[in-house]
PDB file of all heavy atoms in Angstrom:
ATOM      1  N   PHE A 236     120.014  49.710 -11.310  1.00  0.00           N
ATOM      2  CA  PHE A 236     119.232  49.257 -10.137  1.00  0.00           C
ATOM      3  C   PHE A 236     118.787  47.779 -10.353  1.00  0.00           C
ATOM      4  O   PHE A 236     118.615  47.113  -9.351  1.00  0.00           O
ATOM      5  CB  PHE A 236     117.951  50.033 -10.027  1.00  0.00           C
ATOM      6  CG  PHE A 236     116.991  49.781  -8.987  1.00  0.00           C
ATOM      7  CD1 PHE A 236     117.418  49.088  -7.825  1.00  0.00           C
ATOM      8  CD2 PHE A 236     115.597  50.046  -9.002  1.00  0.00           C
ATOM      9  CE1 PHE A 236     116.585  48.750  -6.716  1.00  0.00           C
ATOM     10  CE2 PHE A 236     114.739  49.558  -7.970  1.00  0.00           C
ATOM     11  CZ  PHE A 236     115.235  48.983  -6.868  1.00  0.00           C
ATOM     12  N   GLY A 237     118.854  47.409 -11.570  1.00  0.00           N
ATOM     13  CA  GLY A 237     118.435  45.903 -11.868  1.00  0.00           C
ATOM     14  C   GLY A 237     116.834  45.725 -11.780  1.00  0.00           C
ATOM     15  O   GLY A 237     116.506  44.614 -11.621  1.00  0.00           O
ATOM     16  N   LEU A 238     116.152  46.794 -12.020  1.00  0.00           N
ATOM     17  CA  LEU A 238     114.667  46.555 -12.064  1.00  0.00           C
ATOM     18  C   LEU A 238     114.234  45.751 -13.173  1.00  0.00           C
ATOM     19  O   LEU A 238     113.268  44.979 -12.990  1.00  0.00           O
ATOM     20  CB  LEU A 238     114.086  47.957 -12.052  1.00  0.00           C
ATOM     21  CG  LEU A 238     112.536  48.073 -12.111  1.00  0.00           C
ATOM     22  CD1 LEU A 238     112.073  47.459 -10.792  1.00  0.00           C
ATOM     23  CD2 LEU A 238     112.024  49.524 -12.141  1.00  0.00           C
ATOM     24  N   GLN A 239     114.766  45.763 -14.230  1.00  0.00           N
ATOM     25  CA  GLN A 239     114.466  44.990 -15.416  1.00  0.00           C
ATOM     26  C   GLN A 239     114.591  43.513 -15.108  1.00  0.00           C
ATOM     27  O   GLN A 239     113.617  42.787 -15.467  1.00  0.00           O
ATOM     28  CB  GLN A 239     115.204  45.281 -16.737  1.00  0.00           C
ATOM     29  CG  GLN A 239     115.057  44.370 -17.816  1.00  0.00           C
ATOM     30  CD  GLN A 239     113.682  44.736 -18.471  1.00  0.00           C
ATOM     31  OE1 GLN A 239     113.057  45.808 -18.446  1.00  0.00           O
ATOM     32  NE2 GLN A 239     113.126  43.677 -19.223  1.00  0.00           N
ATOM     33  N   HIS A 240     115.579  43.105 -14.404  1.00  0.00           N
ATOM     34  CA  HIS A 240     115.764  41.702 -14.031  1.00  0.00           C
ATOM     35  C   HIS A 240     114.678  41.266 -12.941  1.00  0.00           C
ATOM     36  O   HIS A 240     114.108  40.119 -13.085  1.00  0.00           O
ATOM     37  CB  HIS A 240     117.221  41.515 -13.368  1.00  0.00           C
ATOM     38  CG  HIS A 240     117.428  40.101 -12.936  1.00  0.00           C
ATOM     39  ND1 HIS A 240     117.479  39.003 -13.703  1.00  0.00           N
ATOM     40  CD2 HIS A 240     117.539  39.620 -11.478  1.00  0.00           C
ATOM     41  CE1 HIS A 240     117.765  37.905 -13.004  1.00  0.00           C
ATOM     42  NE2 HIS A 240     117.693  38.283 -11.751  1.00  0.00           N
ATOM     43  N   GLN A 241     114.259  42.097 -12.088  1.00  0.00           N
ATOM     44  CA  GLN A 241     113.260  41.826 -11.138  1.00  0.00           C
ATOM     45  C   GLN A 241     111.904  41.760 -11.787  1.00  0.00           C
ATOM     46  O   GLN A 241     111.227  40.789 -11.498  1.00  0.00           O
ATOM     47  CB  GLN A 241     113.170  43.026 -10.105  1.00  0.00           C
ATOM     48  CG  GLN A 241     114.421  43.046  -9.131  1.00  0.00           C
ATOM     49  CD  GLN A 241     114.239  44.101  -7.999  1.00  0.00           C
ATOM     50  OE1 GLN A 241     113.281  44.211  -7.332  1.00  0.00           O
ATOM     51  NE2 GLN A 241     115.219  44.996  -7.994  1.00  0.00           N
ATOM     52  N   LEU A 242     111.688  42.458 -12.844  1.00  0.00           N
ATOM     53  CA  LEU A 242     110.434  42.434 -13.575  1.00  0.00           C
ATOM     54  C   LEU A 242     110.316  41.194 -14.357  1.00  0.00           C
ATOM     55  O   LEU A 242     109.310  40.450 -14.439  1.00  0.00           O
ATOM     56  CB  LEU A 242     110.319  43.587 -14.568  1.00  0.00           C
ATOM     57  CG  LEU A 242     110.156  44.965 -13.838  1.00  0.00           C
ATOM     58  CD1 LEU A 242     110.223  46.112 -14.918  1.00  0.00           C
ATOM     59  CD2 LEU A 242     108.809  45.120 -13.082  1.00  0.00           C
ATOM     60  N   GLN A 243     111.441  40.793 -14.888  1.00  0.00           N
ATOM     61  CA  GLN A 243     111.495  39.471 -15.601  1.00  0.00           C
ATOM     62  C   GLN A 243     111.268  38.336 -14.764  1.00  0.00           C
ATOM     63  O   GLN A 243     110.726  37.260 -15.192  1.00  0.00           O
ATOM     64  CB  GLN A 243     112.881  39.212 -16.408  1.00  0.00           C
ATOM     65  CG  GLN A 243     113.063  40.396 -17.429  1.00  0.00           C
ATOM     66  CD  GLN A 243     114.610  40.251 -17.900  1.00  0.00           C
ATOM     67  OE1 GLN A 243     115.394  39.523 -17.328  1.00  0.00           O
ATOM     68  NE2 GLN A 243     114.853  40.784 -19.053  1.00  0.00           N
ATOM     69  N   LEU A 244     111.539  38.419 -13.437  1.00  0.00           N
ATOM     70  CA  LEU A 244     111.203  37.335 -12.386  1.00  0.00           C
ATOM     71  C   LEU A 244     109.793  37.224 -11.892  1.00  0.00           C
ATOM     72  O   LEU A 244     109.205  36.270 -11.672  1.00  0.00           O
ATOM     73  CB  LEU A 244     112.274  37.433 -11.413  1.00  0.00           C
ATOM     74  CG  LEU A 244     113.713  37.091 -11.739  1.00  0.00           C
ATOM     75  CD1 LEU A 244     114.630  37.219 -10.506  1.00  0.00           C
ATOM     76  CD2 LEU A 244     113.974  35.652 -12.306  1.00  0.00           C
ATOM     77  N   HIS A 245     109.357  38.516 -11.707  1.00  0.00           N
ATOM     78  CA  HIS A 245     108.117  38.550 -10.874  1.00  0.00           C
ATOM     79  C   HIS A 245     106.906  39.322 -11.544  1.00  0.00           C
ATOM     80  O   HIS A 245     105.737  39.317 -11.050  1.00  0.00           O
ATOM     81  CB  HIS A 245     108.337  39.327  -9.554  1.00  0.00           C
ATOM     82  CG  HIS A 245     109.439  38.844  -8.821  1.00  0.00           C
ATOM     83  ND1 HIS A 245     109.342  37.589  -8.142  1.00  0.00           N
ATOM     84  CD2 HIS A 245     110.793  39.249  -8.564  1.00  0.00           C
ATOM     85  CE1 HIS A 245     110.634  37.377  -7.591  1.00  0.00           C
ATOM     86  NE2 HIS A 245     111.413  38.306  -7.767  1.00  0.00           N
ATOM     87  N   SER A 246     107.087  39.843 -12.765  1.00  0.00           N
ATOM     88  CA  SER A 246     106.025  40.755 -13.340  1.00  0.00           C
ATOM     89  C   SER A 246     105.096  39.883 -14.173  1.00  0.00           C
ATOM     90  O   SER A 246     105.093  39.900 -15.426  1.00  0.00           O
ATOM     91  CB  SER A 246     106.634  41.874 -14.049  1.00  0.00           C
ATOM     92  OG  SER A 246     105.516  42.754 -14.511  1.00  0.00           O
ATOM     93  N   PHE A 247     104.346  38.933 -13.595  1.00  0.00           N
ATOM     94  CA  PHE A 247     103.306  38.113 -14.241  1.00  0.00           C
ATOM     95  C   PHE A 247     101.993  37.952 -13.412  1.00  0.00           C
ATOM     96  O   PHE A 247     102.106  37.961 -12.243  1.00  0.00           O
ATOM     97  CB  PHE A 247     104.036  36.680 -14.432  1.00  0.00           C
ATOM     98  CG  PHE A 247     105.304  36.701 -15.275  1.00  0.00           C
ATOM     99  CD1 PHE A 247     106.473  36.801 -14.642  1.00  0.00           C
ATOM    100  CD2 PHE A 247     105.167  36.476 -16.676  1.00  0.00           C
ATOM    101  CE1 PHE A 247     107.707  36.862 -15.443  1.00  0.00           C
ATOM    102  CE2 PHE A 247     106.392  36.537 -17.402  1.00  0.00           C
ATOM    103  CZ  PHE A 247     107.527  36.757 -16.807  1.00  0.00           C
ATOM    104  N   ASP A 248     100.957  37.658 -14.091  1.00  0.00           N
ATOM    105  CA  ASP A 248      99.664  37.473 -13.452  1.00  0.00           C
ATOM    106  C   ASP A 248      99.657  35.958 -13.130  1.00  0.00           C
ATOM    107  O   ASP A 248     100.650  35.190 -13.307  1.00  0.00           O
ATOM    108  CB  ASP A 248      98.550  37.868 -14.216  1.00  0.00           C
ATOM    109  CG  ASP A 248      98.296  37.289 -15.555  1.00  0.00           C
ATOM    110  OD1 ASP A 248      99.014  36.141 -15.758  1.00  0.00           O
ATOM    111  OD2 ASP A 248      97.589  37.662 -16.372  1.00  0.00           O
ATOM    112  N   GLY A 249      98.527  35.539 -12.490  1.00  0.00           N
ATOM    113  CA  GLY A 249      98.268  34.294 -12.130  1.00  0.00           C
ATOM    114  C   GLY A 249      98.369  33.157 -13.324  1.00  0.00           C
ATOM    115  O   GLY A 249      98.487  31.974 -13.058  1.00  0.00           O
ATOM    116  N   HIS A 250      98.251  33.691 -14.547  1.00  0.00           N
ATOM    117  CA  HIS A 250      98.210  32.696 -15.746  1.00  0.00           C
ATOM    118  C   HIS A 250      99.431  32.914 -16.508  1.00  0.00           C
ATOM    119  O   HIS A 250      99.583  32.415 -17.662  1.00  0.00           O
ATOM    120  CB  HIS A 250      97.023  33.108 -16.634  1.00  0.00           C
ATOM    121  CG  HIS A 250      95.747  32.966 -15.884  1.00  0.00           C
ATOM    122  ND1 HIS A 250      95.092  31.869 -15.665  1.00  0.00           N
ATOM    123  CD2 HIS A 250      94.935  33.950 -15.480  1.00  0.00           C
ATOM    124  CE1 HIS A 250      93.991  32.036 -14.994  1.00  0.00           C
ATOM    125  NE2 HIS A 250      93.717  33.396 -14.991  1.00  0.00           N
ATOM    126  N   SER A 251     100.603  33.419 -15.800  1.00  0.00           N
ATOM    127  CA  SER A 251     101.887  33.510 -16.384  1.00  0.00           C
ATOM    128  C   SER A 251     101.930  34.499 -17.527  1.00  0.00           C
ATOM    129  O   SER A 251     102.935  34.496 -18.386  1.00  0.00           O
ATOM    130  CB  SER A 251     102.419  32.155 -16.918  1.00  0.00           C
ATOM    131  OG  SER A 251     102.534  31.349 -15.754  1.00  0.00           O
ATOM    132  N   ARG A 252     100.882  35.476 -17.685  1.00  0.00           N
ATOM    133  CA  ARG A 252     100.894  36.507 -18.726  1.00  0.00           C
ATOM    134  C   ARG A 252     101.894  37.582 -18.286  1.00  0.00           C
ATOM    135  O   ARG A 252     101.751  38.046 -17.132  1.00  0.00           O
ATOM    136  CB  ARG A 252      99.483  37.006 -19.010  1.00  0.00           C
ATOM    137  CG  ARG A 252      99.577  38.049 -20.011  1.00  0.00           C
ATOM    138  CD  ARG A 252      98.089  38.587 -20.198  1.00  0.00           C
ATOM    139  NE  ARG A 252      97.613  39.343 -19.121  1.00  0.00           N
ATOM    140  CZ  ARG A 252      96.899  40.454 -19.073  1.00  0.00           C
ATOM    141  NH1 ARG A 252      96.482  40.907 -20.272  1.00  0.00           N
ATOM    142  NH2 ARG A 252      96.285  40.949 -18.004  1.00  0.00           N
ATOM    143  N   PRO A 253     102.858  38.069 -19.055  1.00  0.00           N
ATOM    144  CA  PRO A 253     103.806  39.111 -18.724  1.00  0.00           C
ATOM    145  C   PRO A 253     102.938  40.350 -18.554  1.00  0.00           C
ATOM    146  O   PRO A 253     102.035  40.810 -19.241  1.00  0.00           O
ATOM    147  CB  PRO A 253     104.612  39.211 -20.059  1.00  0.00           C
ATOM    148  CG  PRO A 253     104.516  37.854 -20.741  1.00  0.00           C
ATOM    149  CD  PRO A 253     103.065  37.448 -20.463  1.00  0.00           C
TER     150      PRO A 253
END
Side-chain angles (χ1 to χ4, degrees):
F236 180 29
L238 182 57
Q239 177 67 25
H240 178 66
Q241 295 184 49
L242 293 173
Q243 291 172 347
L244 294 176
H245 304 289
S246 189
F247 298 89
D248 64 11
H250 302 287
S251 299
R252 181 179 66 142

